[in-house]
Amino acid sequence: MSPLDESVHLRALFDGPLLSAEARLGLLRRMQTEGLRRLAPHLPAGFCVDDADQCIALALQVEHAAADADATAAARLLRACVHALESPDARTVQRAVDAYALLDAPAVAVAQKFRVGRKQGTVGPWRQAIRKMLVANPEAKNADMWTALRKKPPRGWKWLQYGERFEGPGAGVPPTFVHKTFLVYASEERKRLAGISS
């Protein structure tokens, strides 16, 4: 579970009456340990993780050194956990949980860029290739276009004879493009072009 997901559960635990003071301190120490683990490359020799002053100094040093976003988030977590361990009131504990949730902030920031989807009017590589063929020859037959795409697919895609499909670029399971999807795209693009020309 990511820190962002886990922070929801941590908030509920800290807000609830069932958590003992010892268990609260244990969770805060676990979050502090995660911050230190992520700051491992920045730890000086002879660093004492139990020394609050050293932890605060390290956190401030990393934050002011304009380190990468991950290290900065870990430094903020470390500082918030030290403060919460020194005075575990509701406010300082909430700050520590907030800082813990922000360990995923760089990934969340990247994900936010893709949340809204494509810009208005832009299309993917397959629809773009089909559109280009239909603009050049509106009377083109689907079979001819499919054959042309098999010979020259969009960049990064390759034809797989054994599967009668295209395989695209991507990490892990690569995306595929099959004839059925091609027929849908071709039909939609023909309708779009007919609407433009009329």
Side-chain angles (χ1 to χ4, degrees), residues 98-144:
D98 290 344
Y100 186 69
L102 290 176
L103 284 178
D104 283 344
V108 170
V110 170
Q112 288 293 79
K113 293 179 185 178
F114 298 97
R115 177 170 259 164
V116 294
R118 292 188 191 275
K119 290 181 183 175
Q120 189 74 25
T122 61
V123 294
W126 287 105
R127 199 173 287 269
Q128 186 176 7
I130 293 167
R131 187 177 287 177
K132 187 176 175 183
M133 287 179 181
L134 287 173
V135 166
N137 182 8
E139 302 300 320
K141 302 287 183 205
N142 284 345
D144 297 335

Side-chain angles (χ1 to χ4, degrees), residues 152-165:
K152 189 171 188 277
R155 183 179 22 205
W157 291 79
K158 61 183 176 185
W159 171 249
L160 298 177
Q161 186 70 39
Y162 63 87
E164 287 288 316
R165 63 188 167 91

Side-chain angles (χ1 to χ4, degrees), residues 18-157:
L18 301 175
L19 202 61
S20 68
E22 187 176 311
R24 284 174 180 260
L25 293 177
L27 283 174
L28 286 168
R29 283 194 193 95
R30 191 177 67 99
M31 291 190 306
Q32 179 183 13
T33 302
E34 179 61 22
L36 285 167
R37 186 186 67 76
R38 292 181 183 223
L39 286 173
H42 302 280
L43 294 179
F47 182 79
C48 178
V49 296
D50 296 326
D51 186 349
D53 292 334
Q54 277 191 357
C55 287
I56 295 288
L58 172 69
L60 291 173
Q61 178 186 357
V62 171
E63 284 182 57
H64 294 297
D68 61 284
D70 291 331
T72 303
R76 288 184 182 143
L77 171 63
L78 178 61
R79 193 161 43 101
C81 286
V82 169
H83 289 306
L85 285 166
E86 288 176 345
S87 60
D89 58 48
R91 190 171 171 203
T92 58
V93 167
Q94 253 345 296
R95 283 189 185 146
V97 174
D98 290 344
Y100 186 69
L102 290 176
L103 284 178
D104 283 344
V108 170
V110 170
Q112 288 293 79
K113 293 179 185 178
F114 298 97
R115 177 170 259 164
V116 294
R118 292 188 191 275
K119 290 181 183 175
Q120 189 74 25
T122 61
V123 294
W126 287 105
R127 199 173 287 269
Q128 186 176 7
I130 293 167
R131 187 177 287 177
K132 187 176 175 183
M133 287 179 181
L134 287 173
V135 166
N137 182 8
E139 302 300 320
K141 302 287 183 205
N142 284 345
D144 297 335
M145 291 193 312
W146 181 250
T147 303
L149 287 171
R150 281 180 21 191
K151 291 178 183 173
K152 189 171 188 277
R155 183 179 22 205
W157 291 79

